[in-house]
Amino acid sequence: MAEKNILIADDEPAVRKMLEKLLRNDAYRLFFACDGEEAVALTQKHTIDVAILDVAMPKMGGVEALKEIKAIDHHIEVIMITGNVELGGLKAVFFRYGAIDYLIKPFDMMELKLTVQRALNNREQTLRSTSVLKELKSRIVELEQDFKEKTFRLRESQIKYKNIVNNSTDTIAVIQDGLLKFINKRGMELTGFCRDEMLDTPLADLLHPEDRVEALKRYRQRMAGKHLPTENKFRIRKKDGSFLWVMCQTVTTIWQDRPATLNFLRDITQQKRMEEMLIRSEKMSSLGQLSAGLAHELRNPLAIISSCAQFCLENMNPEGLVAENFKVIHRNSQRASMLIRELLAFARPDRLNLKSVDMNPLFERMLRMAQLEVDPSHIIFVKRFEKGLPEIPGDEEKLGQICLNLIQNAIQALQGKGTITLETRVAGASDPMFELSVADDGPGIPKEYRQRIFDPFFTTKDGGTGLGLSICHAIVEQHLGNISVACGEHGGTRITVKLPVKQDKTTE
């Protein structure tokens, strides 16, 4: 890891010496200035990661130095320190001039070290974010603004009430002997538990099963004195049974005279969802290119194989086993050709032929088509179509393809007997979305498969191509909608498609 450069500007030699002793232990490269002008000059000559500025200094004060340092490199994180606090000035430092934190003298040494580490982490994240695609940039700005809001509220609380922990907008938790010994108000709001429900709860019970082993291993190693990164991401359980992603900064501490870990948690669930969307988009793009190339290379040889087999059947009058083998060749070449057509549909989706579509009749037609292939005495179809629904902009043929595919999948999931429920409705007032869902009471989808059902070529059906739901997913995205799956604890599957009632532009 590259060495981090810390600039310390304070007109008191004792403060500079104390900060040097404290931060030198963390192997930072330190630069010192006696006033704001010297601090700005050092920033112009060296690459500075974090600047610690005293508010009151001769020649140039800390606030003016903050503005000039930010003008040199706005990615430099600045921590202000002062013995005198004024709330109006505090707010200006945070929101107008861009400081990351504001510490009050005399400050706690551990608090300072944590603040410096957090500033370094924030700088690294900010620098990395410049390479993220455009659709993530606005969200990153929101997260940075939200972080500043939280920090400001935290420090404002410190000034007014001297009660940082209980009024923090970040979750703060203490873990000791593998048990939760303390959690602040924010943590209870985030998880939905009350304090009595959480205290003395084993850490393992609060973690997502997939994250449990690694998180507990890190906890044991940290308590054994092993040096580990302070920052980790994992999922924690909420009272309603769902999970949320958190960014956790952990340090060892002493709680009631015994070793423990102090944990600062920030909800990053939305950020993780956007990252997963980006990864899926890149994955689908790569697979689409691969599929298009394969389809192009295989189409001509398959056409020749099929034609030759058909020619032999029609002109050579083969008999017995020879004729049967020619039929097998022809039948399977046709099946391969169908797979190629699906590959091309996945790789190069056609431009949408948008028009106003009445979804209830379309859903009804697709249901009648699917019913032709099932025994009506064994499979029951229940329709719950909301009346008077508005038409939606879409490609009628492609939307019909989605409906038919979802119904056929539900039929196959029942394995010959059961109930399928089809529903339509419009939800949302300011931004209405048309919703259709297909639910079956079959055995459900195993947990290990649920995250993969929309992946290309993933299938659990004999003879399946694994492209049906992938194509449905692509069509839904073309229509600026979304598709999701939900499974009951004891079986049953519901797939829901949400489509905008209005679209502002034509989608390709």
Side-chain angles (χ1 to χ4, degrees), residues 231-247:
E231 200 168 82
N232 289 286
K233 299 176 185 178
F234 52 82
R235 288 161 287 185
I236 61 174
R237 180 170 61 89
K238 298 175 65 176
K239 186 173 183 177
D240 62 10
S242 63
F243 290 87
L244 55 88
W245 277 98
V246 295
M247 173 72 76

Side-chain angles (χ1 to χ4, degrees), residues 367 370-383 406-422 438-442:
L367 173 60
Q371 285 177 314
L372 295 175
E373 303 176 7
V374 300
D375 186 340
S377 64
H378 291 160
I379 295 182
I380 301 172
F381 291 91
V382 177
K383 295 184 295 182
L406 297 185
I407 298 170
Q408 289 175 333
N409 280 355
I411 292 171
Q412 293 168 0
L414 292 179
Q415 299 176 351
K417 186 176 182 179
T419 301
I420 296 175
T421 303
L422 295 83
V438 178
D440 66 74
D441 59 0

Side-chain angles (χ1 to χ4, degrees), residues 78-356:
V78 179
I79 301 168
M80 305 300 295
I81 57 176
T82 184
N84 300 310
V85 182
E86 186 270 313
L87 281 180
L90 173 64
K91 189 168 185 178
V93 164
F94 271 110
F95 297 107
R96 189 182 305 169
Y97 307 131
I100 190 172
D101 212 333
Y102 197 110
L103 298 181
I104 314 304
K105 296 180 183 178
F107 39 77
D108 181 77
M109 297 300 99
M110 180 60 72
E111 180 182 36
L112 175 68
K113 293 186 72 171
L114 287 174
T115 301
V116 170
Q117 183 60 53
R118 186 173 60 173
L120 288 170
N121 292 340
N122 198 64
R123 175 171 166 81
E124 289 183 3
Q125 291 177 4
T126 302
L127 292 176
R128 286 198 301 266
S129 70
T130 57
S131 62
V132 180
L133 295 178
K134 286 184 179 180
E135 52 264 36
L136 288 180
K137 287 185 177 178
S138 60
R139 181 55 183 157
I140 291 171
V141 171
E142 292 176 7
L143 289 173
E144 290 177 345
Q145 182 65 20
D146 181 62
F147 179 78
K148 289 180 180 293
E149 288 282 355
K150 290 180 179 179
T151 304
F152 171 76
R153 288 196 294 269
L154 178 66
R155 298 311 175 194
E156 184 181 46
S157 173
Q158 181 185 40
I159 296 166
K160 287 182 176 180
Y161 309 110
K162 304 294 185 180
N163 193 0
I164 303 173
V165 173
N166 287 330
N167 292 280
S168 171
T169 54
D170 286 332
T171 298
I172 301 176
V174 174
I175 306 294
Q176 188 179 67
D177 299 327
L179 304 176
L180 182 69
K181 291 297 184 179
F182 171 83
I183 189 164
N184 66 342
K185 180 180 176 182
R186 176 57 179 161
M188 291 183 286
E189 292 173 349
L190 204 60
T191 61
F193 291 105
C194 67
R195 193 180 302 276
D196 290 341
E197 291 173 322
M198 298 201 77
L199 291 185
D200 289 322
T201 299
L203 174 61
D205 292 351
L206 298 173
L207 298 169
H208 191 284
E210 295 177 6
D211 303 333
R212 190 173 296 151
V213 173
E214 184 61 29
L216 291 176
K217 178 182 176 182
R218 286 196 302 268
Y219 171 76
R220 289 190 292 267
Q221 290 177 335
R222 196 181 301 278
M223 295 307 298
K226 186 174 182 179
H227 179 72
L228 297 172
T230 60
E231 200 168 82
N232 289 286
K233 299 176 185 178
F234 52 82
R235 288 161 287 185
I236 61 174
R237 180 170 61 89
K238 298 175 65 176
K239 186 173 183 177
D240 62 10
S242 63
F243 290 87
L244 55 88
W245 277 98
V246 295
M247 173 72 76
C248 180
Q249 289 185 324
T250 304
V251 295
T252 55
T253 188
I254 298 297
W255 177 262
Q256 297 180 349
D257 299 325
R258 295 180 54 239
T261 61
L262 181 62
N263 306 271
F264 301 84
L265 292 81
R266 181 160 54 94
D267 183 4
I268 59 167
T269 304
Q270 187 63 25
Q271 178 183 339
K272 288 292 293 185
R273 287 176 182 160
M274 296 185 71
E275 289 174 357
E276 290 167 0
M277 288 174 61
L278 178 60
I279 291 171
R280 176 178 175 81
S281 175
E282 293 174 345
K283 178 181 176 182
M284 295 290 279
S285 176
S286 298
L287 283 173
Q289 294 176 23
L290 175 62
S291 299
L294 283 173
H296 176 75
E297 294 296 328
L298 292 175
R299 173 179 278 178
N300 290 337
L302 277 173
I304 293 171
I305 293 171
S306 177
S307 298
C308 288
Q310 188 172 5
F311 176 84
C312 292
L313 284 169
E314 293 176 355
N315 297 283
M316 295 176 63
N317 299 317
E319 297 179 355
L321 187 59
V322 174
E324 185 60 31
N325 277 292
F326 276 129
K327 291 177 182 178
V328 170
I329 293 172
H330 183 262
R331 185 167 58 251
N332 282 278
S333 63
Q334 291 297 306
R335 182 173 177 274
S337 296
M338 180 188 69
L339 173 59
I340 287 177
R341 288 194 295 273
E342 291 186 351
L343 281 171
L344 287 173
F346 163 71
R348 298 172 180 170
D350 297 332
R351 181 187 178 92
L352 296 181
N353 180 20
L354 289 177
K355 62 180 182 179
S356 294

